[in-house]
Amino acid sequence: MKVRLLTSLANRLTLGFTLLACILVAIMLVTLHHSLNRFTEDTIQQGKQQLAEALRAQLEQDAQLLSRTLSSHLSIPLYHLDLSAIEKQLSLVRQHRSLEYAYLFSREGRLIHDGSETIPEFGLAMKSLTPLSPESDLYYAWHGQTLHLLQPVMTSSQRSGYLALGVDFTQALTALDRHGEVIGASAKATSERTFNELFLIAILVLAITVWLLYRFCRHQFAPLQELTQKSIAFGEGDRSVRFGVAQSGELGLLGNALERMRLSLEQSHHQTTQLAYLDNLTQLPNRHWFQQSLERLLELSRQNQQRMGVVFIDLDHFKEVNDTAGHDMGDLLLFEAAARLRNLLIEMDIFAPDTEEPLLARLGGDEFVTLYPDLQHTEQLSELARRIAQTLDEPFLIDGRYFNISSSIGITIYPDDGNSSSEILKHADIAMYAAKQSGRNQYAFFSMQMNHQLQQRIETIQGVRTALDQGHFHLEYQPVVDLSTNRIRAAEALLRWSHPERGLIPPGLFIPVIEDSDLIEPVTQWVAQQAVRDLLSLQALKPGFAISINISGAALHQESTRDFLTDLKQREQVPDYCLSIELTETSMIRHLDDCRQTLKQWKDAGMNIWIDDFGTGYSSLSYLHQLPIDGLKIDRSFTRDLKPDSSNSLVATVLTLAESMQLQVVAEGIETDSQLECYRRLGSRYGQGFGLYRPMPYNDLKALLETTDEVHTATS
């Protein structure tokens, strides 16, 4: 209750006004009490003073009446100087207890009689017996509580003497004081009673005021309290709360403002939920939603002892779409791919157990994942994977352009391949990577052997990073020989990795990993820089000597790689047509239009463009007319099939085609004398292979160029 009292604005306001009113009433009562006391004291004092003055005035009148009466009775005896009569009159007066003295003086102011028998002070002067004298014209005066009077005694209108009286009014004045004290006590009692009555009235008025104030505050702040309770309920998650209040004024405006804020918060909450659980691009659920759904369905599968499949989908070569056609086009392709996958799941009736929505999510980039609850047979997952691959393999028509992509699909099964959501998803990712490594556009079920392969891949990637940082890479060069003169005309730069612990790593173990990772760009740049340094050094020895570097398809479609090679050639001032770029048919043809711009830029910068492994890619040769190509390198598979006693028509056709298009040709893979002789007979200008020269370090190539131009056929 105390907490409620302190938290309620109406109660706090009432309490504050109550304290203020109590303070004001207390001040008023203290002031009133002090004023009443002062008023009572002043009233009593003034009453006493007025009573005393009235009593004294009355006593003066009585005493004067007595003195005039007595003086009229003494006028005749004084005129005749009848002392006995005077004594008789004065003795009667002196019998009064309050009379201090009664003197009769002669006209000259000498004492004649004092009412006693002996008159001991006879003849004394007036001034020695009474404070009054005829000269002062003062006929009465108070000294203390005694009233002194001096009354002339007249006989036939003639002053014959003076009568002096001294009347002690102590008893009367004392009685007056006692009466005044009684009146004062009564007045004080009345004052206290009045104050107590006023105090009770003030307390009653204060209580009524506080009650009315409390009721007023409760009435005025009831809507605010209602809004507060609604706000608390809304903050605790009650979304049925509405903030409208049936009151005008500021509180009504506040309620309307809170209602608008609630609507805005609801909208923001909906948008936040969209952001938290929905992928903005594809409008599919995102990774966060998938994690929760996977956890929920795993728990359901445990309870029902059911199996569940997880299908991990990755689009093949999607990065090349972004690099060549732009990210906007890539986003449109992702949206279309997501729509196809969703429609496929709806067509196959693969839904969540408790909803009518397909279990499909975008994990990020070009990765999608779907779940197959209540799995009965493994073949169901195989069928789903085949349908997915078939759906994504169909061309995408986007903004008037056709795009062809494929998919690599990894499949895991609960509980066969894991018990936790993280383990299941990790193994699905591993299976997807295994499918990609096996040639893409296929699916693979997870096996424990894939885990080992993934570990090897991770170790290779980490090792490549270390090799770049610590200088474990080096280049070897395989010479290209002019078959007609046996002179070395060029060399192909080949990347080699000298591991500090494992020794020389075969290129087939790390080159594919590099090409399929984000390391392709830094490795390509390192190879280009090192090859250019070696080329410039060899130019002083053999002007016009050329070195070629291999550019993978992943690097070919990166603008950064295109611009880097162009800037490197211009910055290092490499002579024109001494730096050659070797590309495979597949890497060029996949995005022919975008590749044309890159090759043209390199060609304009003074670089030669060679097609490596010619004959193993696309059968269509129309691209030879469309691209700025300088030469072809016949694949070693054709060289292995050469026979001295055969027409070797396929190789002859390639050589004739190249000659008609004014393209140079290098025959790769020459390992035997018979192969060398066949190429010479067929008219091939250049050759390359172990039968001519093996790849060698830069220093060996330099020494070879310094000593001879002859072809050595050693196969060491």
Side-chain angles (χ1 to χ4, degrees):
M1 189 67 182
K2 182 178 180 181
V3 175
R4 184 180 179 184
L5 177 64
L6 294 177
T7 56
S8 172
L9 178 60
N11 292 342
R12 291 202 307 270
L13 189 60
T14 302
L15 180 61
F17 277 120
T18 300
L19 292 176
L20 179 61
C22 288
I23 293 173
L24 294 177
V25 169
I27 294 173
M28 180 188 71
L29 289 175
V30 170
T31 304
L32 179 61
H33 187 267
H34 179 69
S35 299
L36 280 176
N37 287 339
R38 289 193 59 183
F39 175 75
T40 302
E41 291 176 359
D42 291 344
T43 301
I44 293 172
Q45 188 66 28
Q46 291 177 5
K48 286 183 178 180
Q49 184 177 354
Q50 291 176 1
L51 286 175
E53 291 176 355
L55 179 59
R56 287 175 180 270
Q58 187 63 43
L59 292 176
E60 289 174 359
Q61 291 178 4
D62 293 344
Q64 289 176 1
L65 179 60
L66 175 62
S67 65
R68 285 196 297 271
T69 303
L70 185 57
S71 66
S72 64
H73 288 166
L74 291 174
S75 62
I76 300 300
L78 179 58
Y79 180 78
H80 295 289
L81 199 58
D82 185 357
L83 296 178
S84 60
I86 292 172
E87 179 184 0
K88 182 179 179 180
Q89 290 291 332
L90 294 177
S91 62
L92 289 174
V93 176
R94 291 189 61 177
Q95 291 178 1
H96 198 283
R97 290 180 296 176
S98 60
L99 190 65
E100 287 187 359
Y101 64 88
Y103 297 129
L104 182 64
F105 295 98
S106 64
R107 186 170 53 188
E108 293 78 11
R110 298 291 179 178
L111 180 63
I112 296 176
H113 210 294
D114 59 2
S116 64
E117 294 179 354
T118 59
I119 313 174
E121 298 171 342
F122 181 81
L124 290 177
M126 183 186 299
K127 62 177 66 176
S128 62
L129 296 176
T130 179
L132 302 175
S133 63
E135 292 81 3
S136 64
D137 293 330
L138 188 61
Y139 293 100
Y140 67 91
W142 287 92
H143 288 269
Q145 296 181 346
T146 300
L147 178 62
H148 299 275
L149 299 101
L150 183 62
Q151 179 68 36
V153 180
M154 306 298 292
T155 304
S156 300
S157 304
Q158 296 292 327
R159 184 180 298 174
S160 57
Y162 296 94
L163 176 63
L165 297 176
V167 185
D168 184 7
F169 290 112
T170 301
Q171 184 177 2
L173 294 175
T174 301
L176 176 64
D177 291 338
R178 287 197 301 270
H179 182 67
E181 291 176 358
V182 172
I183 293 175
S186 176
K188 289 182 178 180
T190 301
S191 175
E192 291 295 332
R193 185 168 58 254
T194 301
F195 176 77
N196 292 335
E197 291 174 354
L198 292 175
F199 179 79
L200 293 176
I201 293 173
I203 295 299
L204 179 61
V205 171
L206 178 62
I208 294 174
T209 302
V210 170
W211 183 80
L212 292 175
L213 180 63
Y214 174 74
R215 298 296 299 177
F216 175 78
C217 290
R218 286 293 299 271
H219 175 72
Q220 290 295 318
F221 290 101
L224 183 60
Q225 199 169 33
E226 179 184 356
L227 290 175
T228 302
Q229 294 172 352
K230 288 181 177 180
S231 299
I232 294 174
F234 185 77
E236 293 175 349
D238 186 1
R239 292 297 179 263
S240 63
V241 171
R242 298 296 180 269
F243 289 98
V245 293
Q247 185 167 342
S248 59
E250 290 83 354
L251 292 178
L253 294 175
L254 177 60
N256 293 333
L258 288 175
E259 178 64 16
R260 290 194 299 271
M261 184 178 69
R262 182 193 67 81
L263 294 175
S264 177
L265 287 175
E266 287 290 341
Q267 184 178 4
S268 298
H269 176 72
H270 177 70
Q271 293 175 351
T272 303
T273 303
Q274 293 270 359
L275 292 175
Y277 292 99
L278 199 65
D279 177 59
N280 287 334
L281 175 60
T282 63
Q283 298 303 303
L284 291 179
N286 58 14
R287 179 184 290 272
H288 186 56
W289 174 90
F290 173 76
Q291 284 292 144
Q292 293 187 355
S293 298
L294 181 58
E295 292 282 357
R296 177 172 53 82
L297 291 177
L298 283 178
E299 182 61 30
L300 185 63
S301 298
R302 291 189 193 98
Q303 295 175 359
N304 299 331
Q305 296 184 348
Q306 296 174 341
R307 301 171 77 204
M308 183 179 69
V310 177
V311 180
F312 196 103
I313 308 160
D314 183 86
L315 304 184
D316 296 331
H317 304 296
F318 175 74
K319 188 175 185 301
E320 296 179 10
V321 177
N322 278 338
D323 292 339
T324 57
H327 288 274
D328 291 340
M329 197 69 70
D331 290 345
L332 292 174
L333 191 148
L334 283 176
F335 181 83
E336 180 63 27
R340 289 188 184 184
L341 292 173
R342 189 175 186 276
N343 292 334
L344 174 63
L345 294 178
I346 294 175
E347 179 184 340
M348 298 182 67
D349 293 329
I350 302 177
F351 299 104
D354 51 351
T355 65
E356 293 299 324
E357 287 295 322
L359 290 167
L360 176 66
R362 181 193 178 203
L363 297 186
D366 58 350
E367 295 178 343
F368 299 87
V369 65
T370 182
L371 302 178
Y372 202 118
D374 193 15
L375 180 67
Q376 301 297 323
H377 306 287
T378 305
E379 182 58 32
Q380 292 174 304
L381 291 175
S382 298
E383 175 63 19
L384 174 60
R386 283 193 294 269
R387 295 285 299 274
I388 290 174
Q390 180 182 355
T391 298
L392 296 177
D393 196 41
E394 296 178 2
F396 289 83
L397 178 59
I398 300 176
D399 197 21
R401 297 177 60 180
Y402 282 97
F403 293 89
N404 290 284
I405 63 170
S406 59
S407 60
S408 298
I409 303 172
I411 304 173
T412 53
I413 301 175
Y414 168 84
D416 304 0
D417 301 325
N419 291 314
S420 66
S421 60
S422 58
E423 190 177 21
I424 286 289
L425 191 59
K426 172 186 173 184
H427 289 169
D429 190 16
I430 292 174
M432 180 275 296
Y433 175 74
K436 192 177 291 291
Q437 289 295 102
S438 299
R440 294 181 169 85
N441 197 21
Q442 56 186 295
Y443 65 89
F445 285 86
F446 172 77
S447 66
M448 291 307 298
Q449 183 182 0
M450 295 177 181
N451 229 344
H452 177 67
Q453 294 173 349
L454 177 65
Q455 187 64 33
Q456 286 183 331
R457 169 182 164 81
I458 294 175
E459 291 178 356
T460 300
I461 291 177
Q462 292 175 344
V464 170
R465 295 185 190 277
T466 303
L468 280 173
D469 294 337
Q470 299 182 6
H472 297 160
F473 283 134
H474 69 276
L475 295 182
E476 289 188 352
Y477 297 93
Q478 187 172 29
V480 176
V481 177
D482 186 336
L483 299 182
S484 62
T485 63
N486 294 329
R487 295 180 179 274
I488 299 174
R489 296 301 185 186
E492 179 183 355
L494 302 172
L495 180 63
R496 297 294 183 261
W497 180 8
S498 297
H499 196 280
E501 297 177 358
R502 297 165 54 189
L504 191 64
I505 306 296
L509 294 182
F510 68 90
I511 295 296
V513 175
I514 293 176
E515 291 179 344
D516 198 33
S517 71
D518 58 356
L519 294 173
I520 185 61
E521 182 176 358
V523 171
T524 300
Q525 292 180 2
W526 184 90
V527 170
Q529 288 176 324
Q530 184 63 42
V532 166
R533 279 197 294 268
D534 294 343
L535 174 61
L536 293 177
S537 177
L538 293 175
Q539 287 295 310
L541 176 65
K542 191 176 181 63
F545 188 80
I547 287 181
S548 62
I549 59 176
N550 292 280
I551 301 297
S552 70
L556 174 62
H557 301 292
Q558 293 177 340
E559 292 185 8
S560 56
T561 300
R562 178 184 67 194
D563 296 338
F564 176 82
L565 291 177
T566 304
D567 295 340
L568 177 64
K569 173 162 186 310
Q570 294 174 349
R571 183 176 66 252
E572 299 296 335
Q573 298 181 353
V574 178
D576 289 344
Y577 311 116
C578 291
L579 179 63
S580 300
I581 305 297
E582 294 190 13
L583 306 164
T584 63
E585 291 178 274
T586 304
S587 64
M588 291 189 300
I589 304 306
R590 183 175 291 114
H591 302 288
L592 189 60
D593 293 337
D594 301 294
C595 178
R596 182 184 294 108
Q597 179 182 357
T598 299
L599 298 185
K600 184 178 184 302
Q601 178 174 320
W602 286 342
K603 185 68 176 177
D604 293 341
M607 289 182 268
N608 292 323
I609 309 298
W610 287 77
I611 298 179
D612 194 15
D613 300 334
F614 181 78
T616 61
Y618 288 77
S619 58
S620 173
L621 301 179
S622 63
Y623 69 90
L624 295 177
H625 294 281
Q626 302 178 32
L627 299 178
I629 297 171
D630 296 289
L632 309 175
K633 299 187 77 172
I634 300 177
D635 186 69
R636 65 187 68 248
S637 62
F638 293 97
T639 303
R640 284 195 300 267
D641 295 336
L642 286 178
K643 297 177 181 179
D645 55 351
S646 174
S647 63
N648 300 308
S649 59
L650 185 58
V651 174
T653 300
V654 172
L655 292 173
T656 302
L657 174 66
E659 183 179 2
S660 66
M661 297 183 66
Q662 298 182 349
L663 298 177
Q664 298 183 19
V665 177
V666 174
E668 289 186 306
I670 298 177
E671 298 182 356
T672 65
D673 291 340
S674 62
Q675 292 171 346
L676 175 61
E677 185 60 31
C678 285
Y679 273 118
R680 281 176 174 169
R681 180 170 53 82
L682 291 171
S684 176
R685 176 73 182 275
Y686 299 105
Q688 181 181 3
F690 286 1
L692 299 173
Y693 290 99
R694 284 182 174 272
M696 62 187 69
Y698 165 76
N699 290 332
D700 292 351
L701 175 63
K702 182 178 181 182
L704 180 63
L705 294 177
E706 288 175 345
T707 57
T708 181
D709 286 335
E710 298 297 326
V711 176
H712 299 277
T713 58
T715 59
S716 59

